Amino acid sequence: MSATFDYVIVGAGTAGCVVARRLSDSGASVLLLEAGGSDRIVWIQLPVGYGRTFFDKRINWMFDTEAVAALGGRTSYWPRGKVIGGSGSINAMVHVRGQPHDYDDWRHLGNTGWGWDDVLPYFIKSEDHDLGPSAVHGSGGPQHVTDISSRVHPLCQRFIAAGTAMGFPYSSDLNGTETEGVGVYQINTRGGRRASTANEYLRPALRRGTIKLQTKSLATRILFEGKRAKGIEYRRNGQTKTALARREVILCGGSINSPQLLQLSGIGSAELLSSLGIEPLLDAPAVGRNLQDHLAVSYFYKTTVPTLNDALRPLTGKAKAALRYLWDRGGPLSMSINQGGGFVRSAPDQPRPNLQLYFTPASYTQTPLSERKLLNPDPFSAVLLSFNSCRPTSRGHLQIRSNDPAVPPVIQPNYFSTQQDIDEARVGNRLLRTLANTRPLSDIITEELLPGAQVQGDDALLEDFRQRADTVYHPTSTCMMGPDARSSVVDARLRVHGIEGLRVIDASIFPTITSGNTNAPTVMVGEKGAAMILEDAR
């Protein structure tokens, strides 16, 4: 016998926790299904511990992409959260809304109600911000945003000073009224602990008893009556079960799992589905298309002054950091290692910031990515600088390779496939070197470790980019929002085109990728999506 709820949500990730909380606030009954397990793991809750979660199959889907021709035939490893809190439980906690014009672009693409003035209230509603209430920030919302500008490593100030010496503006609040420039990133922590939406939204609601959270539950297909979604079939403890929804089924599985479940359920390219033995319910060729991601490269530099390497590498340093954390939940263990950065124009004639910068007062040149632990940096003083294009124009795709829900889908990011992306990589490479050679940052740099002084000229640096650049873990847009059912998957109210009672609310609906980190925009989408559901229910 199937249990029945007002709403069935698939995925207790960043957006799913937000939607579940807001629907339960209305008094509705909510079933929240999560394929992973508990987030009560020290390396999740300890802010600097996230490096240890990237290769933990207990809490991570651990996807691999197909080979990317423009990156020398390399594949890319894509960690995605398979745990309560989703990828917001394993990310670097950087809180970036993106540039206001990102959302005006969404509106101009035909998505009424998604311009900057429309989405700002939902960013504000979500926040409990260190900077307090203002025209652009919220106070008393569920998710805490921590201003770490007074606590970051001192070398961040050298990075900022070098950036302003190059003519970039200084921004004291990269989520404020002046989002262009260099500064210090804000992060999602509270009291020295990760402030995921699992901790900030879901857990208080669970204590009220209005949400049934069911973990280790893999959604296998959406159930339909005609072309109306009526529930979810899922596997738990080796058994196949069903849950029915009186009002709506909501997919919050993220940019990989949401399109995968749609295709498994008969919504996608009819040709693809038929070839895999799945009867098409709706020929929706846009499902899984339009995949977008940020692609970054890092330059590493030895320094004459201590960095986080010196604070974290020796046993005495680890002990001091641990004692500090136990004393007041402060110090390097309470923060991300991603501290400085910003949004800049690669040239004065650029109409808007087109490059995102990162400054990390630590380095990991001697550790393969598969073994990288943030508490084990290089045994010498060093820092890294990184950049990525804010709005890459390359488009990839995702599609199931089997009708078995346990089989990972084909992921082809198709990185670096447009001339614009190549041109921006060229200018970004040059910009990082110029930044490293600008005082006062240059005063403490002794050597470029990677790519190294022997790599000279635009062509050589571009080849280095092809060999070393990789994802910044920001996949979006595989169920993109738009007015045309042939080129998009959901409408401006996040309803799946051609299907009743079914919405997608997560980063997969972004029409275009936002200029920066994608977690904060995903929280906003959760807030706005939940509000739309409640409006339509009334």
Side-chain angles (χ1 to χ4, degrees):
M1 184 176 179
S2 301
T4 302
F5 301 83
D6 292 327
Y7 300 98
V8 176
I9 302 173
V10 179
T14 294
C17 291
V18 175
V19 175
R21 162 71 177 271
R22 293 310 190 191
L23 296 183
S24 75
D25 286 347
S26 74
S29 61
V30 176
L31 173 64
L32 182 57
L33 296 173
E34 169 54 46
S38 174
D39 61 336
R40 295 304 204 191
I41 297 172
V42 65
W43 300 118
I44 289 178
Q45 301 302 330
L46 180 71
V48 82
Y50 63 92
R52 290 182 177 268
T53 66
F54 271 28
F55 291 88
D56 187 339
K57 63 182 180 182
R58 297 174 302 165
I59 55 177
N60 195 323
W61 288 100
M62 297 180 63
F63 292 117
D64 285 295
T65 73
E66 302 300 294
V68 180
L71 299 187
R74 293 186 293 126
T75 61
S76 181
Y77 172 65
W78 282 17
R80 308 306 299 160
K82 184 183 181 182
V83 64
I84 298 172
S87 295
S89 284
I90 67 171
N91 69 356
M93 296 156 292
V94 177
H95 184 87
V96 169
R97 294 170 171 177
Q99 302 292 309
H101 51 68
D102 294 340
Y103 305 97
D104 291 336
D105 288 346
W106 289 12
R107 183 185 61 216
H108 293 155
L109 289 171
N111 298 295
T112 303
W114 288 91
W116 174 244
D117 291 340
D118 302 306
V119 303
L120 177 59
Y122 294 97
F123 279 115
I124 293 173
K125 181 180 181 181
S126 73
E127 286 184 348
D128 183 21
H129 206 292
D130 267 357
L131 298 180
S134 68
V136 292
H137 287 308
S139 178
Q143 188 167 50
H144 195 260
V145 182
T146 302
D147 175 17
I148 60 171
S149 56
S150 64
R151 293 182 278 145
V152 294
H153 195 279
L155 285 180
C156 290
Q157 299 309 316
R158 286 184 180 266
F159 160 77
I160 292 170
T164 56
M166 288 178 62
F168 300 136
Y170 166 65
S171 174
S172 60
D173 178 6
L174 290 167
N175 294 302
T177 55
E178 300 298 331
T179 58
E180 178 178 353
V182 291
V184 172
Y185 288 123
Q186 295 156 6
I187 62 173
N188 291 127
T189 60
R190 185 190 293 273
R193 186 183 70 162
R194 175 183 292 273
S196 65
T197 58
N199 286 335
E200 306 289 271
Y201 279 84
L202 181 61
R203 209 143 266 123
L206 289 175
R207 288 194 287 268
R208 292 201 308 257
T210 53
I211 300 172
K212 181 178 180 181
L213 171 64
Q214 200 150 279
T215 59
K216 304 291 185 180
S217 300
L218 176 66
T220 54
R221 66 186 177 105
I222 305 162
L223 304 174
F224 296 95
E225 286 182 352
K227 288 190 176 179
R228 179 176 181 82
K230 69 171 185 177
I232 292 290
E233 178 186 272
Y234 62 98
R235 293 177 188 162
R236 188 167 192 260
N237 297 327
Q239 296 182 319
T240 298
K241 301 185 176 184
T242 60
L244 302 181
R246 296 185 192 92
R247 297 181 183 174
E248 294 191 30
V249 173
I250 305 153
L251 305 190
C252 299
S255 293
I256 310 302
N257 298 88
S258 285
Q260 179 188 26
L261 185 58
L262 286 174
Q263 291 174 350
L264 289 168
S265 305
I267 300 173
S269 162
E271 181 180 1
L272 168 69
L273 302 183
S274 297
S275 72
L276 296 173
I278 298 172
E279 182 178 353
L281 175 70
L282 181 70
D283 184 18
V287 174
R289 312 306 292 186
N290 304 298
L291 175 59
Q292 300 167 44
D293 188 24
H294 289 134
L295 184 69
V297 74
S298 297
Y299 282 38
F300 297 83
Y301 296 93
K302 268 192 171 182
T303 65
T304 60
V305 298
T307 68
L308 277 178
N309 293 8
D310 304 274
L312 294 176
R313 182 77 190 191
L315 289 176
T316 53
K318 287 183 174 65
K320 286 181 180 179
L323 287 172
R324 170 68 191 279
Y325 186 77
L326 291 172
W327 176 253
D328 65 356
R329 293 293 188 268
L333 302 190
S334 68
M335 294 186 285
S336 168
I337 62 165
N338 294 325
Q339 297 183 1
F343 300 90
V344 302
R345 303 178 197 226
S346 60
D349 60 353
Q350 285 289 333
R352 57 180 73 168
N354 62 317
L355 297 177
Q356 181 176 8
L357 301 180
Y358 309 84
F359 174 77
T360 300
S363 69
Y364 300 86
T365 62
Q366 298 186 346
T367 309
L369 180 61
S370 60
E371 300 173 9
R372 189 167 294 174
K373 308 292 193 297
L374 300 185
L375 293 174
N376 292 300
D378 288 327
F380 47 78
S381 304
V383 300
L384 70 85
L385 292 167
S386 303
F387 82 91
N388 62 252
S389 296
C390 287
R391 290 170 301 281
T393 54
S394 298
R395 298 291 182 264
H397 67 270
L398 175 150
Q399 63 188 46
I400 55 175
R401 66 177 85 227
S402 166
N403 59 15
D404 182 352
V407 175
V410 173
I411 303 171
Q412 175 50 268
N414 205 28
Y415 291 129
F416 225 43
S417 58
T418 67
Q419 191 60 46
Q420 178 177 319
D421 290 356
I422 293 170
D423 291 343
E424 288 201 333
R426 286 181 182 274
V427 72
N429 290 334
R430 292 197 298 269
L431 189 150
L432 286 191
R433 278 203 164 156
T434 302
L435 189 56
N437 287 318
T438 300
R439 299 184 65 188
L441 190 57
S442 61
D443 293 339
I444 54 92
I445 289 176
T446 61
E447 179 186 356
E448 183 180 274
L449 298 169
L450 285 172
Q454 74 282 2
V455 182
Q456 292 294 329
D458 281 356
D459 290 344
L461 290 173
L462 185 64
E463 181 58 28
D464 172 74
F465 187 96
R466 292 184 188 276
Q467 294 300 319
R468 294 196 301 115
D470 211 343
T471 178
V472 196
Y473 318 115
H474 297 162
T476 70
S477 308
T478 50
C479 295
M480 70 174 284
M481 172 172 55
D484 183 352
R486 298 300 293 176
S487 60
S488 61
V489 179
V490 300
D491 65 15
R493 297 194 73 78
L494 309 186
R495 299 171 298 203
V496 174
H497 287 299
I499 299 292
E500 294 182 8
L502 180 63
R503 299 194 206 219
V504 181
I505 304 179
D506 55 35
S508 72
I509 66 92
F510 291 13
T512 53
I513 193 168
T514 51
S515 293
N517 308 64
T518 53
N519 193 73
T522 303
V523 174
M524 177 277 293
V525 167
E527 286 276 15
K528 187 169 172 60
M532 287 176 167
I533 291 172
L534 294 175
E535 288 169 5
D536 291 347
R538 286 194 292 268

